[in-house]
Amino acid sequence: MDRPRGIGGVTVDAIIVGSGPGGSTVADILTAAGWSVVIFEKGRNHLIDLEHPYRLADDFSNDEIKFINRHFLGPDPFLEPRTFRTGPEDGDHSFVGDVNSIPSTVGGGGTHADGKVPRFREEDFGLLSTYGPQPGASVADWPLTYADLEPFYADVERRIGVTGDAAANPLAAWRSGPYPMPPGPSMYGAVLSTAAAETLGYHPYPAPGATNSVPYDGRPPCNNCGFCAFFGCPIHAKGDPVAMLQRALMTGNAEIRPETFVSRIRTDGHRATGVDFIGPDGVERSMDGRYVVVAGGAVETPRLLLLSGFDHPLIGRHLMVHFQTIAAGGFADLRFHAERGRAVTHLHDDALVPDDPSRKAAAQAGLPWMRGGIVEHGGTGLPILEAKLYRWGPTHKENMRRSPLRDRLWAFTMQGEDLPVATNRIDLDPTVRDVRGFPVARYTYKPHRHELAASAHHGPRMAAILEAMGAEWTSVVTSPGSVEGPGGRASVDAPMSRHVMGTVRMGEDPATSVADSIGRLHQLPNVVIADSSVFVTSSGYGPTLTLAALAARFATAMVS
Amino acid sequence: MPAWLTIEEYRTLTAVCERLIPADQTPGAAEAGVPDYIDGLLGAFSFDPPRIWAGGSFSGRHGGLPGFARFHRLTALDELAWRTRIEGSLGRPEREFNGVVVGLQERYREGLAALGPDFCHCGPDEQDLRLRSLAPFTQLVYDHSCEGMYGAPEYGGNRDAVAWSGIGFAGDVEPRGWTDHEVSEA
Ligand SMILES: Cc1cc2nc3c(=O)[nH]c(=O)nc-3n(C[C@H](O)[C@H](O)[C@H](O)COP(=O)(O)OP(=O)(O)OC[C@H]3O[C@@H](n4cnc5c(N)ncnc54)[C@H](O)[C@@H]3O)c2cc1C
Ligand code: SF4
C-alpha cells in the first residue's frame, strides 16, 4: 500500500490521538510551549470552525432525536461496535453493540457531558496505605499524591473554566485558591433534596461545574436550557474541552484531523516513531512524531496499544467503571421541571468517607472496608425517554400529562467506587470488527463483592432522603443490573456509568504497572498516556478533572 | 404522498400509531403527524441532505435564526451506517462486515403486512389483539412513535409542537433558555 510519510516530510513534535478532555489539555500546553502538534480524531467535527478557530460551530441543538436516538456525536454502534461478556463462561461475547460508549467526535466526551468536575480527595491517591488491601482486588497507591497534583488541578480548573464554592463542601480536599467562577443557579428539585439531605446529616454542595456561570474566556454563561447531559451546548457555555482546543488551534501550532482513525503506533523497538492512520478517503498513511500521546479514553487507548502489538501483560487489565446505584422517588404533589437547568447542580460526598454504619456493613459483608461514591441530585427532563417507559394504549397520554416518571420524579445517583480487579479488562474481540476492519474492544467485566455491598448499604440511605423529602414511593436499582446470587448466575448487563478508568495502570514498578508517574509507557518512554486509563484506583468521583490534571502534569513534564 | 411507504401501508401505519398513542382531549399520534415521522425515517434518503440529523443551533421557536430544518450532510461512513440501518445489508459486503443486517424498511413492510389489509377497519379490541401478537414489531413502532410524538417537529411528527404543549413541555428553548428564577423556583 502507498504510504507517504509525514506532513510534507516534516516530523511533528507530538502526535495526539483523541481530542477529548485529555488530548485537548495536552494540546493546549504543548502548543503554548511552541511545539507542533497534530491531533487525530476518528469522529466528526461539530465543534470548531477549523479554518477560523475563533468561531465555534453551530451544529449543536436542543434535539433529543438527534443526540439520544440517532448517535449524532458517535460512535455509531453499527460502524464501531463494542462487545461485552462477564467472563469466559459467556463465550467470546454475550453482547455486541453500544457498550457504555462516550462520544467519538472533536471534543470527545467533554462535548456532551454535563460537566460535574470535582477533585478527588487526598486518600484517593493512597487507598492501600489509608485503608489496606481487599481480597480479590489489586488495591494500590498511586505513584503521586494529591499535593503533587493540586497545582495541576488548579491549572486545569482555570483552563476549562470551573464553577464552584470552595467553602461549601466540608469533605473536600484542600485547595490552593478559589474556583474561577461562582456556582450557577440551583435546580428547584435540588433546593428540596439538599434541604432533606441536610436534615439527615449529609453535606450537599453545589457541584463544581465545567459550565460557565458568568462570561468566561470569550464564551457566554450557561442559560439553563436543560438539554445538557448527552447534548452538545448550542451556545458553547461548556468549557471542557472547547476552551483548550480553541486555544491550541489559535497558536497556529496545532492541526486537528477529524474522521481520522489511528490504527497503529509505529516503533523501532525502543521508541515510538509515529503512527499509521486512516483518513476520510479510506487510505492508510503514516506520520512521524517525536512523541505519541494517546488520549483515546480508557477503552480505545488500550485497544490501540493492543492493535499496535504492545505486549505488556497488564495492558487492558484493571478496567474500572463506577458502579451506579440509583434511588428514585415519586412525588404526587410536586413538579420538578428538571428540563430547566444543567442536569445536576448538587452533589454530596458522604458515602466516600467511611462512618460507623458503613464500617459495620462492611464487616457484615466480610470486607475490610468499603466506600461508595459521589451522590448526584438530579431529575429528568427528556420526554421521549419518558414516553418509552409507559405502556402503549389509552393510558399513554394521561401518563405523559401526570408524568410520574419525569416531572414528578427526583433521583439520587451514586457513582460507586469500583475496585481494580485484574480479570476485569479490555482486550480485542476475536471476531467482531469495526467498519475499517480492525478488531473492536471487548469488555470482560463483573463487579467485585465490595461494589455490591456498598450499593446495598447506600441505596436505602439515599431512598431515606427521598422519603424525608416527601416521596410517595421510592425504588432502588443498580447498574450493572443483576448479578450473581444464591440462585445461580443471572444475566449481568454492561455497566452504564460513563466513568471508565484503569486499563493502562501507572506505577513505579514495570512489573506491576504499564505507565510511569508522568504517563510514559515503561517500555516506550516517548509514548504518553493522557487519559483515565492510567488511574490506579477509581475513587467515587467523576474522572474528568483528575484525568485533565494528570494530562497537564504529563504535558508539563514533556516540555520541561 | 408518503416518502417511502405505499398509500396502503401508510394507512395501516396511521391506524397502528393512533392505537399506540390515541387521542383524548388532545391530539393523538395520527393528528400529531407521527406516521410522517416514521415514513420520513424510512424514506430519509429520498431527501438531500438525507433527513437524519436536523440542523443547529436553534429552531426559531424561542428566538434566534431557525436552523433545524437544514438537515446535516452525511459523510460516506454516516451514509453507510444509516443506509444499512434503513435499507438492510442487501447482501453487499461493505454492509456485512459483522453479518447480515435486517433493515427498518423490511421490518415495517413485513410487520404492516402481517397486521392484515383490514387492520384499519377492525375494532380497537381486535387491533390490540393483533398488535400484541406481533410484540417485537409493535415495540419498534411504539419506540418510533414516542420519538415522532415528542421529538422536534422538523422530523415530521409533533406537528406545530402539539404534543409538547399537550404535556406542558417547552421543547427546545435556546437561545432564550431559562432564567435563574425559573430554574430554582417551583
Ligand atoms: C452523558 C455523560 C455525562 C458525563 N458526565 C460526567 C461528569 O459529570 N463528570 C465527569 O467527570 N465525567 C463525566 N462523563 C465522562 C467524561 O465524558 C469522560 O470522563 C471524558 O470525556 C474522558 O475524556 P478523555 O479525553 O479521556 O476521553 P474521551 O472524551 O473519550 O475522548 C477520546 C477521543 O479520542 C478519540 N479516539 C479514540 N481512539 C482513537 C483512535 N484510535 N484514533 C483517533 N481518535 C481516537 C475518540 O473518538 C474520542 O473523541 C460523562 C460522560 C457522558 C457520556
Ligand atoms: S444547560 Fe447550560 S451548559 Fe448545558 S447545554 Fe444548556 S446552556 Fe449549555
Side-chain angles (χ1 to χ4, degrees), chain B residues 72-144:
Chain B
H72 284 276
R73 301 219 153 269
L74 303 187
T75 64
L77 285 182
D78 296 334
E79 177 158 347
L80 175 67
W82 282 97
R83 278 199 185 270
T84 307
R85 190 166 282 132
I86 292 170
E87 298 166 357
S89 58
L90 305 174
R92 299 187 188 169
E94 74 276 15
R95 298 185 184 186
E96 297 195 338
F97 53 93
N98 285 319
V100 173
V101 180
V102 178
L104 289 172
Q105 291 177 342
E106 184 180 336
R107 292 185 65 191
Y108 270 92
R109 186 137 284 162
E110 286 183 355
L112 293 172
L115 286 171
D118 57 341
F119 184 84
C120 305
H121 309 291
C122 296
D125 290 347
E126 173 62 19
Q127 288 187 334
D128 283 2
L129 210 66
R130 294 193 193 178
L131 288 170
R132 274 197 206 97
S133 74
L134 289 177
F137 176 63
T138 304
Q139 186 61 44
L140 175 74
V141 186
Y142 183 54
D143 283 351
H144 283 154

Side-chain angles (χ1 to χ4, degrees), chain A residues 3 5 15-18 40 261-278 284-296 300-311 315 438 504 519 521 523-530:
Chain A
R3 282 170 180 262
R5 299 180 62 81
I15 290 167
I16 300 178
V17 184
F40 287 103
F261 174 70
V262 173
S263 56
R264 196 160 73 98
I265 300 169
R266 304 167 66 92
T267 77
D268 63 10
H270 309 285
R271 297 180 67 78
T273 55
V275 297
D276 291 344
F277 62 90
I278 300 169
E284 189 171 53
R285 297 193 168 80
S286 33
M287 181 184 286
D288 292 344
R290 290 202 297 121
Y291 279 85
V292 176
V293 177
V294 190
E300 297 301 317
T301 287
R303 176 181 177 224
L304 177 57
L305 302 186
L306 293 169
L307 286 174
S308 305
F310 298 176
D311 57 4
I315 293 174
F438 295 92
V504 189
L521 292 186
Q523 290 177 328
L524 292 166
N526 68 335
V527 175
V528 175
I529 309 298

